[in-house]
Amino acid sequence: MANNFELDTLKIRIADPRLAALELHVRVQRALRQLILDGVLAPGCRLPATRTLSQSLGLSRDTVETAYAQLQLDGYLCRRTGSGSFVSDKIGPNLQGTRQKNGKAFMPLRPQAGSSVALSTRGANILAGGGVADQQAVKAFATGLPETRTFPVDIWERLQRQALKSHRPSVLLHGDPQGAEPLRQAIADYLNLERGARVAADQVLVLSSTRQALFLCAQVLVDAGQPILMEDPGYFGARKAFEMAQLKIVPIPVDHKGLRTDMLRADPSGANTIYVTPSHQYPTGATLALERRLELTAWAAERQGWIIEDDYDSQFHYEGLPTACVQGLDTHQRTIYLGTFSKSLYPGLRMGYMVLPHELVKPMSHARSILDGHTPQISQLTLARFLDGGHFGSHIRAMRKIYAVRREAMAHAVQRHLRGIVAAHLPPGGLQMPCLLAEGWSEPDTIRQAARVGIQLPGLSRLYARPPARGGWLLGFAALTPHEIETAIQRLAKALG
């Protein structure tokens, strides 16, 4: 510690602006500790006496003594009366970021990019497959983003204050893993009235998202390595949840009437669980025909299996009334209904739910309690008031009108500026529009060209288990005004030449 290099380094580290809020003795202790961990002060190295170091640093001896005492207490120093203070021999090379070579410190070799790390097989598969990227800012043409600029924040804040005042201090404690009873009742009332469901409050499980619901279904209903059926094309997040649980995904084709129930009947895998989006198929926009809904529920009853019904953005239907959910048709009670408020209200809310057959309520609630305990109570109670007060229904009706206009604006802009490149399919509902590329156009190439001008083109191909005959895009329009849509489509057309 006697040489000027180490003293100068110590002074620089004590003066580090990131430590400015700490007391002086803590800054000295932190700086010395880092020199030890970096290998600048090697095991067995003798430190200067507290009087000597305090004079060199221009500090009081008590400050340095307090720093030394804490380092000794933490195990970094050994102090022997009459001999001095030494870096502990227990601080071996494995605990240091550098090594000593010829009396000088040098940095060890870092692992090369792409080198293997110690992960489980499951962890390695997750790393290789990638995660699910949620869009954190409004950007053309990201999918799944609702309009948030018109959300009634003032009403929400007022209801939140009321909920906090009425339920203080219980909202500050742990909540019921199944969810707050007022919200479960409000969800049941809404689904029975608006979606044609048959739900009691004790069948509702409040969650943070649809993806959490899918993860629970994968863990509770199907063993690892066993098959689960899924629409093809289908929701990317569902596929990732099932892959993470190490399930074998068996694709069932979709046509203009939704899931091919004839292919479902012909499936030889032996699977007894299927994931579907019947009200608004993702991504094609097809609505599952009534006869197929009945065939689907009959299949589940015969197999003693389960239907996972994801009622994705079903509130936003622009041509006639939304079709009633499968859960309300299922007299055999084999349907698990999934819903979310992240698309109907705002993504940052992180609130979803499951409606479960009675025999699944307890196992799913137990699994959820292990996963993350419960959803924040204040958010649940605020949402319950938002539903009960009629604000949710008003918001949905207002958004449905806005989105209908934006859907038309998207279709017209694509027709005007991208004719000959893509053909847009006008969906009867939802927050995004599927477009198929014309012959000779490459999906990856168009995505790269769009990215150069700041436009995100979600590709359709990644949603297919089997490569589609034609590539395309899934253009989100709900979060963009008609003017923003027109401007972005013009920029895209220019980028594509």
Side-chain angles (χ1 to χ4, degrees):
M1 191 74 193
N3 67 66
N4 290 333
F5 166 74
E6 292 168 0
L7 183 60
D8 291 344
T9 302
L10 180 60
K11 288 180 178 179
I12 291 171
R13 295 197 173 182
I14 292 173
D16 189 335
R18 293 172 295 182
L19 304 180
L22 300 176
E23 294 183 53
L24 192 54
H25 69 86
V26 177
R27 289 156 64 181
V28 174
Q29 178 248 332
R30 294 275 185 91
L32 285 168
R33 182 184 68 183
Q34 199 58 50
L35 289 176
I36 293 170
L37 291 174
D38 287 349
V40 177
L41 300 177
C45 174
R46 181 175 180 174
L47 271 64
T50 55
R51 185 187 302 277
T52 302
L53 184 58
S54 64
Q55 291 174 350
S56 300
L57 296 175
L59 304 174
S60 71
R61 185 179 179 185
D62 286 345
T63 297
V64 177
E65 173 59 37
T66 303
Y68 273 31
Q70 185 61 48
L71 287 169
Q72 180 185 16
L73 186 64
D74 292 343
Y76 291 95
L77 295 185
C78 294
R79 307 184 73 185
R80 297 189 286 272
T81 303
S83 299
S85 301
F86 302 84
V87 176
S88 172
D89 290 333
K90 295 181 180 179
I91 308 296
N94 291 335
L95 297 179
Q96 294 181 293
T98 61
R99 304 289 184 266
Q100 293 293 321
K101 187 176 182 179
N102 298 328
K104 297 182 179 180
F106 70 99
M107 294 300 296
L109 293 175
R110 294 184 178 275
Q112 295 182 352
S115 61
S116 61
V117 293
L119 296 176
S120 67
T121 302
R122 185 186 301 106
N125 290 337
I126 293 171
L127 178 63
V132 178
D134 290 316
Q135 192 66 37
Q136 298 178 9
V138 176
K139 186 176 182 180
F141 293 99
T143 59
L145 281 181
E147 173 60 73
T148 57
R149 288 168 288 191
T150 59
F151 182 76
V153 176
D154 53 341
I155 294 175
W156 186 267
E157 289 179 340
R158 173 168 56 83
L159 297 176
Q160 188 175 60
R161 288 193 298 270
Q162 292 174 1
L164 185 59
K165 183 178 180 180
S166 299
H167 297 276
R168 187 187 299 134
S170 62
V171 293
L172 306 181
L173 301 174
H174 287 294
D176 185 343
Q178 191 176 340
E181 196 279 334
L183 179 56
R184 290 191 282 111
Q185 186 62 61
I187 290 172
D189 292 342
Y190 171 78
L191 294 177
N192 291 334
L193 180 64
E194 298 291 341
R195 298 298 299 123
R198 295 188 297 173
V199 186
D202 62 359
Q203 292 178 264
V204 178
L205 174 59
V206 180
L207 301 167
S208 65
S209 64
T210 297
R211 264 177 279 173
Q212 186 180 50
L214 291 167
F215 179 80
L216 287 173
C217 288
Q219 295 292 328
V220 174
L221 302 180
V222 187
D223 288 324
Q226 294 301 304
I228 187 169
L229 306 178
M230 182 175 172
E231 299 167 323
D232 186 30
Y235 175 43
F236 187 70
R239 181 180 297 125
K240 286 297 181 182
F242 300 152
E243 288 176 351
M244 186 174 177
Q246 297 181 300
L247 308 187
K248 179 183 177 183
I249 299 172
V250 179
I252 303 295
V254 168
D255 62 17
H256 67 286
K257 290 186 178 181
L259 181 79
R260 291 271 307 274
T261 48
D262 58 327
M263 300 294 289
L264 176 64
R265 290 283 186 183
D267 170 59
S269 70
N272 70 342
T273 302
I274 183 168
Y275 169 81
V276 291
T277 52
S279 296
H280 177 231
Q281 204 280 327
Y282 190 92
T284 67
T287 298
L288 188 63
L290 176 60
E291 63 272 17
R292 295 191 182 185
R293 291 171 181 248
L294 297 175
E295 289 172 5
L296 177 62
T297 59
W299 171 88
E302 292 168 11
R303 292 284 183 99
Q304 286 296 290
W306 304 106
I307 301 165
I308 304 173
E309 178 185 12
D310 188 349
D311 211 24
Y312 183 82
D313 59 24
S314 62
Q315 299 98 336
F316 304 118
H317 204 81
Y318 315 118
E319 299 174 4
L321 296 175
T323 307
C325 64
V326 170
Q327 194 270 354
L329 297 174
D330 183 8
T331 58
H332 308 287
Q333 291 291 294
R334 310 302 303 180
T335 301
I336 301 163
Y337 179 97
L338 313 185
T340 178
F341 294 101
S342 295
K343 302 295 186 294
S344 53
L345 295 180
Y346 61 94
L349 178 60
R350 306 314 299 154
M351 193 87 73
Y353 57 90
M354 284 199 289
V355 174
L356 298 161
H358 288 286
E359 60 266 39
L360 290 182
V361 172
K362 185 173 288 187
M364 287 289 189
S365 297
H366 286 345
R368 193 279 163 85
S369 71
I370 297 170
L371 195 61
D372 67 345
H374 61 90
T375 304
Q377 292 199 79
I378 186 61
S379 298
Q380 293 188 65
L381 295 169
T382 302
L383 179 55
R385 288 171 180 258
F386 196 78
L387 284 159
D388 289 337
H391 307 294
F392 182 76
S394 297
H395 181 69
I396 293 299
R397 288 190 293 272
M399 291 298 99
R400 193 180 292 139
K401 293 177 181 178
I402 290 173
Y403 296 160
V405 171
R406 295 180 180 186
R407 180 188 70 142
E408 296 292 336
M410 176 70 84
H412 291 155
V414 170
Q415 176 67 17
R416 279 195 300 272
H417 304 296
L418 297 174
R419 184 180 300 178
I421 299 177
V422 294
H425 167 64
L426 196 65
L431 307 179
Q432 44 273 322
M433 179 176 295
C435 299
L436 293 179
L437 284 163
E439 191 72 28
W441 288 88
S442 162
E443 181 184 302
D445 288 346
T446 57
I447 291 173
R448 282 193 293 269
Q449 288 171 295
R452 295 193 186 103
V453 295
I455 292 177
Q456 179 175 330
L457 286 183
L460 276 175
S461 296
R462 69 177 190 142
L463 305 178
Y464 285 79
R466 304 180 180 94
R470 295 163 62 187
W473 317 320
L474 190 63
L475 304 182
F477 57 80
L480 305 171
T481 66
H483 174 71
E484 290 168 338
I485 290 170
E486 177 74 16
T487 302
I489 289 291
Q490 288 179 356
R491 197 162 78 248
L492 175 59
K494 186 176 180 180
L496 298 179

